[in-house]
Amino acid sequence: MSVRTEEMVLNMGPQHPSTHGVLRLELTLEGEIVTKVVPHIGYLHRCFEKHCEAMTYQQVVPYTDRMDYLAAMGNELGYAIAVEKLLNIQVPERVEYIRVIMAELQRIASHLVALGTYGADIGAFTPFLYCFRDRERILHLFEITCGARLLYNYIWPGGLSHDLHPDFVRLTREFIKEFRPNLVELNNLLTYNRIFIDRTANVGILPVETAVNFGITGPMLRGSGMKWDLRRDDPYSVYHKFDFEIPVGEGKMGTVGDSWDRYFVRVREMEESLKIIEQALDQLPEGDVTSAIPKRIKPPVGQVYARVENPRGELGYFLISDGSTSPFRVKVRAPSFVNLQIMDELCRGHMVADVVAILGSVDIVLGEVDR
Amino acid sequence: MIYEFFNNLFGSEIIAGFIAASLPLLIFILPFALIAVLLERKVAGHMQDRLGPMRVGYHGILQTVADIIKLLQKEDIIARDNDKLLFNIAPILVFAGSYAAFAAIPFTSAYIGANIDLGIFYIIAVTGLVVAGILMAGWASNNKYSLLGAMRSAAQIVSYEIPTILVVLTLVMFTGTTNLMTLSENQTALFWNWNIFGGPELSLAKFLLIPFMIIAFLIIYISTLAEVNRTPFDIPEAESELVSGYHTEYSGMKFAMFFLAEYANMFAVSAIVSALFFGGYHSPFGYLGNTLDIQWLIPVEQFFWFTFKGVFFVFVQMWLRWTLPRLRVDQLMTASWKYLIPIAFVNLLIVGIITLI
């Protein structure tokens, strides 16, 4: 009798603490070594794109919030820019500055969730709560501005729903002052922790060519060492006025493009975002934020593609207008959806525990993957 | 001694033995587990900039009592494809293994469950039951995650038993006894006589031994962390990977048994470490009972110090848990086989040579 071995198929998700939502990963295991990963998506599909065709342009805004719900401001900004391009209207300076401040605050909030949950995936639960404590303050800033904590409906085509709260500038400055030491604390607790480095360095190495071939964007691409950031390379809004660095992975703890690099790029991006917010607060012009909002949006026939750098990568909106008040077609290029493709490539030959580490470093939001 | 007392009272060895054996469970382990669970949550809460349980009782002190009541009321779910016999035995076995260890641990100079000459080896042997229980639980659950967790757990406990035993051997060689009672009794009087400071005999060897004793202590502490599945070695239960490992499928009181066993185990290993290195139940600076000449006060004080040392090490375990991330399976094995075992072995040789000189 000969001994026969067979591979085990393990379904990770859709209900699993580390898949960050309703994602199902079909893992083929040989012992604990992963030989194949097939992501199954669609558990959160809400027909966003089709739905938009029955909406007027203004009504689409709240729906964009619900895609990447950790970066709702960024989603709204991308959509607003796309519609403004289609209408060919100019928005006031103040609006642009406030949009940048909001988008960058949102980037910090989103990265805090990414880093915190990444720590929790690796087994360190305390940094997770430290991150959420700081994120809470950003959410408070959003709340005093527009009344919502997660889904804002704040950035409208042509302007903003509200002007800033009188306390906003003071509170934001306070937050920046108190957040910097917290970031150092997070680094000491998690980033430079020996066990954390052992778990993430040299795990899931993504070479830059592969990343480009798969269309990877955002911190993942920068983690592989490519200096590509739409805020710098295809500037939108008023980003060209600010001075900030684009952090890239350097392979400090292992190889360029490993999970630790992707993690660390996010940490450094938060520092850069703080710089941008400070500069924007210093230069913040006066003005009316609602003056340029069109009463009725009826763009000419045509099509437009607008893209912004969201916390997870390039978020693109492709709009086709047939001249009516609602879009003929809305196509979203969701960064999480594109980045998720790389899972099989990255996970092969690693262990089950590394799948969790790699998935966390990809940083997906299922609301955006499925739309 | 309590055993003799009950023996005289009932005139039956069986009844006396039964009572003497179940005493620590009733008056110590169960209340300890209740308090330790609350302590864990409070420690975690305060370390994470929040408060922990606050609703039940003053500052949530009755939280675990409420939890136990909830667990008692829960439905005892046994899935259709579970191996029912093994599934039911496993939690009992795990709990029995960790509870049996308390028999050979001296609580005070007046109380030890069973004064066995091979005490420390008895503990190591009997905690082996826990591995069998965990494997049974993982297998009987008929769940892939549970099975993975159980296999990891067995591999981990077996590998970390080796450095533990090597350190225990070091101590046995140095003190010449395997009886925990005698071991503790040797380290009497001031804290300077504890084994971590080279034992009670004042000589050159004592000072030479101190660094090696500290190394031995660190090794056994790390190994025991792994043996009780605590972070950074909580791989069998790795919440973010395996949901909760071998006890994923358990609910109600069966789950509570695993939970109770975990906390009992935490205290057991802490007590063993303190008996080996930190004088067991002995006070670090003499007894109030001796000064005041009240004989019955001494065991009470000893019990206090025993609990204090044990809880202190349990607290350190919690502290580590809420600070450190988790290792990966292969890194865990590397840590044991490539670092801990060689170091423990060299340490054993060096302590042997120093003792001989």
Side-chain angles (χ1 to χ4, degrees):
Chain A
M1 195 186 95
S2 64
V3 178
R4 194 172 54 91
T5 60
E6 61 179 48
E7 291 175 329
M8 181 163 94
V9 176
L10 185 70
N11 276 310
M12 200 165 170
Q15 305 298 332
H16 188 281
S18 294
T19 53
H20 299 242
V22 280
L23 170 70
R24 178 157 72 95
L25 292 174
E26 193 185 312
L27 309 177
T28 311
L29 302 180
E30 223 180 86
E32 276 222 31
I33 306 290
V34 178
T35 55
K36 200 172 143 208
V37 180
V38 183
H40 291 265
I41 59 170
Y43 292 94
L44 205 60
H45 190 62
R46 289 146 303 168
C47 303
F48 162 74
E49 288 171 9
K50 187 71 189 165
H51 223 122
C52 294
E53 292 166 20
M55 301 280 162
T56 63
Y57 283 92
Q58 290 97 327
Q59 284 172 330
V60 172
V61 177
Y63 283 86
T64 64
D65 282 340
R66 283 152 181 80
M67 290 197 308
D68 183 351
Y69 42 76
L70 294 177
M73 286 289 185
N75 301 346
E76 290 171 2
L77 178 60
Y79 178 73
I81 287 174
V83 176
E84 282 153 18
K85 244 185 182 174
L86 206 54
L87 289 169
N88 206 8
I89 55 172
Q90 204 65 45
V91 294
E93 275 270 277
R94 184 174 171 82
V95 172
E96 297 281 26
Y97 273 87
I98 294 175
R99 282 177 177 185
V100 167
I101 293 170
M102 291 302 170
E104 292 307 314
L105 279 174
Q106 183 76 82
R107 189 182 312 279
I108 296 172
S110 169
H111 280 348
L112 278 174
V113 177
L115 301 179
T117 51
Y118 194 40
D121 287 346
I122 304 290
F125 203 70
T126 304
F128 172 74
L129 284 140
Y130 283 14
C131 288
F132 268 65
R133 174 194 65 196
D134 294 329
R135 175 174 178 261
E136 203 59 29
R137 301 196 55 181
I138 300 178
L139 296 189
H140 178 68
L141 290 174
F142 289 150
E143 195 180 0
I144 60 169
T145 310
C146 61
R149 286 161 49 83
L150 199 65
L151 308 164
Y152 312 104
N153 191 12
Y154 180 64
I155 299 174
W156 288 351
L160 304 167
S161 71
H162 301 76
D163 202 345
L164 291 180
H165 188 273
D167 281 345
F168 182 86
V169 175
R170 181 177 59 83
L171 287 173
T172 310
R173 283 190 201 281
E174 267 173 29
F175 164 74
I176 293 171
K177 215 175 106 197
E178 284 159 35
F179 180 58
R180 285 217 163 98
N182 287 353
L183 209 50
V184 175
E185 187 186 40
L186 175 72
N187 279 341
N188 291 336
L189 189 63
L190 187 63
T191 314
Y192 297 120
N193 182 308
R194 191 67 239 173
I195 298 176
F196 181 74
I197 293 170
D198 282 347
R199 281 297 305 279
T200 54
N202 289 326
V203 167
I205 298 163
L206 175 62
V208 69
E209 298 83 33
T210 319
V212 173
N213 288 346
F214 272 82
I216 306 292
T217 47
M220 279 194 79
L221 180 63
R222 292 192 283 276
S224 297
M226 187 154 170
K227 227 177 181 127
W228 176 257
D229 190 319
L230 293 176
R231 291 175 293 173
R232 173 65 53 82
D233 296 305
D234 182 14
Y236 52 93
S237 200
V238 283
Y239 274 110
H240 58 276
K241 291 186 181 167
F242 303 121
D243 173 40
F244 61 97
E245 305 260 311
I246 300 169
V248 291
E250 290 156 351
K252 221 162 144 190
M253 296 296 164
T255 320
V256 178
D258 59 12
S259 298
W260 194 85
D261 269 352
R262 290 195 280 276
Y263 165 90
F264 197 55
V265 161
R266 293 193 177 99
V267 175
R268 289 181 51 205
E269 267 180 27
M270 292 203 288
E271 289 162 13
E272 300 306 321
S273 292
L274 288 179
K275 273 192 213 164
I276 297 176
I277 297 167
E278 273 180 336
Q279 293 170 40
L281 286 176
D282 288 339
Q283 304 168 16
L284 190 65
E286 292 298 315
D288 185 6
V289 298
T290 49
S291 60
I293 297 175
K295 287 279 169 306
R296 186 158 155 269
I297 299 180
K298 201 173 174 188
V301 178
Q303 57 188 36
V304 67
Y305 181 72
R307 52 185 185 172
V308 291
E309 184 71 31
N310 235 26
R312 274 160 200 83
E314 174 183 332
L315 175 73
Y317 284 90
F318 181 61
L319 303 184
I320 302 180
S321 160
D322 58 355
S324 71
T325 52
S326 48
F328 179 72
R329 175 82 170 98
V330 177
K331 167 78 180 89
V332 180
R333 182 212 185 273
S336 295
F337 176 72
V338 180
N339 292 354
L340 184 62
Q341 299 175 85
I342 201 81
M343 274 308 283
D344 185 44
E345 192 79 13
L346 289 186
C347 290
R348 268 186 206 178
H350 284 299
M351 306 184 91
V352 183
D354 290 330
V355 173
V356 172
I358 292 168
L359 185 64
S361 75
V362 173
D363 183 26
I364 49 162
V365 167
L366 264 295
E368 186 178 62
V369 173
D370 289 342
R371 298 194 290 287
Chain B
M1 300 286 270
I2 288 170
Y3 172 73
E4 275 88 40
F5 173 74
F6 285 112
N7 201 359
N8 290 335
L9 194 68
F10 296 107
S12 156
E13 281 184 6
I14 298 170
I15 296 177
F18 189 77
I19 293 176
S22 48
L23 257 178
L25 174 72
L26 294 174
I27 63 169
F28 191 76
I29 301 173
L30 284 177
F32 170 77
L34 283 183
I35 295 163
V37 173
L38 181 71
L39 184 70
E40 169 107 63
R41 295 175 70 176
K42 277 290 183 188
V43 167
H46 286 280
M47 283 184 72
Q48 293 167 348
D49 213 354
R50 56 193 178 85
L51 290 170
M54 285 295 281
R55 295 296 171 119
V56 192
Y58 176 74
H59 275 249
I61 46 171
L62 295 175
Q63 181 65 45
T64 29
V65 178
D67 284 345
I68 292 284
I69 293 171
K70 180 200 72 177
L71 282 172
L72 279 170
Q73 292 170 339
K74 278 211 165 183
E75 186 191 349
D76 187 23
I77 301 169
I78 301 175
R80 193 188 60 211
D81 289 341
N82 289 350
D83 187 325
K84 291 189 186 53
L85 181 69
L86 293 185
F87 191 76
N88 288 328
I89 293 177
I92 299 169
L93 211 57
V94 169
F95 182 71
S98 59
Y99 173 51
F102 279 86
I105 295 174
F107 283 63
T108 70
S109 58
Y111 179 76
I112 180 167
N115 198 357
I116 321 168
D117 279 338
L118 282 172
I120 183 77
F121 288 111
Y122 159 77
I123 291 174
I124 289 168
V126 86
T127 45
L129 273 181
V130 176
V131 188
I134 287 173
L135 269 179
M136 270 186 191
W139 180 258
S141 297
N142 209 353
N143 173 326
K144 285 168 185 165
Y145 287 107
S146 298
L147 187 59
L148 272 179
M151 290 192 317
R152 285 174 172 194
S153 180
Q156 172 178 330
I157 294 177
V158 168
S159 344
Y160 276 84
E161 235 156 46
I162 299 167
T164 315
I165 293 174
L166 280 174
V167 172
V168 167
L169 269 182
T170 316
L171 259 283
V172 168
M173 211 167 61
F174 166 66
T175 56
T177 174
T178 52
N179 185 330
L180 276 175
M181 193 74 163
T182 329
L183 242 168
S184 311
E185 209 48 60
N186 282 344
Q187 308 174 47
T188 185
L190 295 175
F191 67 88
W192 196 237
N193 289 339
W194 291 353
N195 283 340
I196 188 120
F197 299 115
E201 275 170 59
L202 196 64
S203 62
L204 180 66
K206 177 179 165 76
F207 295 98
L208 284 176
L209 276 173
I210 294 176
F212 299 106
M213 281 298 171
I214 291 172
I215 293 172
F217 160 67
L218 289 176
I219 291 171
I220 200 173
Y221 195 74
I222 294 170
S223 316
T224 51
L225 273 182
E227 284 205 44
V228 293
N229 299 336
R230 298 289 294 185
T231 315
F233 307 110
D234 64 338
I235 290 160
E237 302 163 19
E239 194 204 332
S240 49
E241 295 153 28
L242 300 180
V243 193
S244 58
Y246 56 86
H247 55 65
T248 308
E249 294 283 321
Y250 284 89
S251 66
M253 268 326 273
K254 288 207 195 98
F255 167 74
M257 296 273 262
F258 281 116
F259 212 56
L260 204 64
E262 187 188 329
Y263 283 88
N265 248 335
M266 275 165 71
F267 189 82
V269 295
S270 303
I272 293 164
V273 167
S274 79
L276 288 177
F277 286 97
F278 292 91
Y281 49 74
H282 276 301
S283 151
F285 13 74
Y287 294 104
L288 206 62
N290 275 338
T291 331
L292 303 175
D293 205 23
I294 311 171
Q295 281 310 308
W296 59 263
L297 200 61
I298 294 175
V300 176
E301 278 182 64
Q302 284 175 337
F303 184 70
F304 166 75
W305 284 111
F306 171 80
T307 321
F308 177 81
K309 287 171 190 171
V311 170
F312 176 76
F313 286 118
V314 169
F315 171 72
V316 176
Q317 288 176 350
M318 291 172 182
W319 187 359
L320 288 174
R321 172 168 180 184
W322 298 108
T323 309
L324 294 176
R326 180 188 308 123
L327 284 167
R328 205 172 53 209
V329 177
D330 56 325
Q331 291 165 347
L332 179 93
M333 292 300 163
T334 314
S336 172
W337 290 95
K338 285 194 180 163
Y339 300 103
L340 290 182
I341 292 178
I343 294 171
F345 196 68
V346 171
N347 203 40
L348 172 79
L349 291 178
I350 293 174
V351 172
I353 292 166
I354 294 175
T355 323
L356 271 182
I357 295 167

